[in-house]
Amino acid sequence: MNVIRAEHISKSYLMGEIEVKALQEASFTIKEGEFVVILGPSGSGKSTLLNIIGGMDQPTTGKVFLYDEEITGYSERQLTQYRRDKVGFVFQFYNIMANLTAEENIELATEISRKPLPVEQVLEAVGLDERKDHFPAQMSGGEQQRVSIARAVAKNPDILLCDEPTGALDYNTGITILALLRKVNREMGKTVIVITHNSDIAYMADRVIKMRSGRIIDDRVNENPMAVE
Ligand code: ADP
Ligand code: ADP
């Protein structure tokens, strides 16, 4: 079953007289349970695409569906609800609350969600039960990213959108974060979309969508995704 269907989405910005085409005629579907990497150099349109899927931005033309429901054309109010209930976000720089502990950060996410998972279950799944009373400043980058993944997962969203989730981490920590995202995908059944400029990350994906200059230039299934542990 398709979770996301994008039909000919384009996004343009006007910079004075000049039209910047951030995204041009992108069409794709994402199936339930897939782990998809969107790969491309800086400026190729990855964030624009992710922001549109995440309901943070609207395309200039084209349509996006979550299951059978069209999200393009949603009002601001509907978009806020969509971001809260349907989408989990993971960012490069974690974006967790500095004045809340790991556990409190996760609790906060469950409070705004309609069908949250139990906080304990999520803390355990991401390997943070021993660090749950720590504040972000007392945690390493990798641990903070675990909190951010836990927060996203705890909402029990339909899709997890990750923007360069290993971009601020050293290589080995990055691997453990990818392994965690894969676990969330395989064991908790979450559909995961990761955007990155790092082609190493693509090897572990079920599917790789490549972008250049606002266009999808390649979209293929990876028959043998590399295992990460
Ligand atoms: P990526 O995530 O692959 O780095 P982006 O989606 O951020 O790419 O950007 C794609 C293109 O759109 C770039 O040329 C970028 O400068 C342009 N762009 C993105 N956001 C804006 C904006 N708010 N205003 C003007 N141009 C933008
Ligand atoms: P509100 O403005 O009512 O707090 P938003 O619509 O901004 O709600 O965000 C709803 C959810 O979407 C948040 O819980 C958050 O996880 C996520 N989100 C959306 N955009 C961002 C962002 N730029 N930074 C962090 N989280 C975001």
Side-chain angles (χ1 to χ4, degrees):
M1 190 186 251
N2 291 328
V3 187
I4 294 286
R5 186 166 93 246
E7 291 180 351
H8 307 287
I9 49 172
S10 299
K11 178 81 184 181
S12 297
Y13 295 100
L14 270 184
M15 303 284 280
E17 304 275 285
I18 300 158
E19 186 187 16
V20 179
K21 293 180 174 172
L23 197 60
Q24 296 188 63
E25 289 283 324
S27 296
F28 57 92
T29 56
I30 291 178
K31 289 198 196 74
E32 221 168 50
E34 265 189 316
F35 194 118
V36 179
V37 162
I38 297 175
L39 179 68
S42 177
S44 59
K46 305 183 297 295
S47 306
T48 303
L49 187 65
L50 204 75
N51 289 343
I52 291 171
I53 299 173
M56 293 187 277
D57 205 352
Q58 295 272 17
T60 312
T61 57
K63 294 179 176 177
V64 179
F65 298 83
L66 179 88
Y67 293 106
D68 281 328
E69 180 143 341
E70 190 185 341
I71 67 161
T72 32
Y74 265 179
S75 65
E76 271 312 313
R77 188 192 166 86
Q78 287 173 307
L79 280 174
T80 300
Q81 225 160 48
Y82 170 79
R83 289 192 295 266
R84 284 191 172 169
D85 294 333
K86 311 286 186 181
V87 191
F89 296 96
V90 176
F91 300 95
Q92 181 173 1
F93 296 106
Y94 333 128
N95 290 26
I96 52 177
M97 308 283 260
N99 58 338
L100 300 179
T101 64
E103 187 174 31
E104 288 165 351
N105 263 286
I106 299 164
E107 272 165 7
L108 185 66
T110 62
E111 281 161 17
I112 62 157
S113 167
R114 279 218 202 130
K115 39 163 187 160
L117 298 175
V119 176
E120 271 99 274
Q121 182 196 332
V122 179
L123 275 167
E124 202 195 312
V126 303
L128 272 178
D129 24 3
E130 309 217 317
R131 307 287 265 159
K132 66 185 165 86
D133 296 324
H134 290 240
F135 289 92
Q138 300 169 301
M139 287 186 269
S140 66
E143 286 168 340
Q144 291 182 62
Q145 194 60 300
R146 277 176 195 277
V147 176
S148 129
I149 292 169
R151 177 187 59 181
V153 169
K155 295 200 301 184
N156 203 7
D158 290 337
I159 41 169
L160 211 59
L161 301 182
C162 313
D163 187 351
E164 299 277 3
T166 64
L169 302 172
D170 64 61
Y171 181 80
N172 287 321
T173 309
I175 296 288
T176 66
I177 289 301
L178 290 173
L180 175 58
L181 287 172
R182 171 89 119 198
K183 180 180 168 192
V184 162
N185 168 250
R186 294 289 196 263
E187 291 176 22
M188 302 178 100
K190 290 285 159 220
T191 306
V192 178
I193 306 175
V194 174
I195 66 171
T196 183
H197 64 268
N198 183 352
S199 53
D200 287 344
I201 293 177
Y203 293 113
M204 50 149 316
D206 295 326
R207 187 164 143 217
V208 182
I209 296 176
K210 282 190 188 156
M211 298 191 65
R212 287 279 187 294
S213 313
R215 289 183 187 280
I216 293 177
I217 56 159
D218 195 27
D219 180 353
R220 65 180 67 197
V221 169
N222 193 356
E223 297 295 348
N224 283 305
M226 199 170 75
V228 280
E229 274 145 52

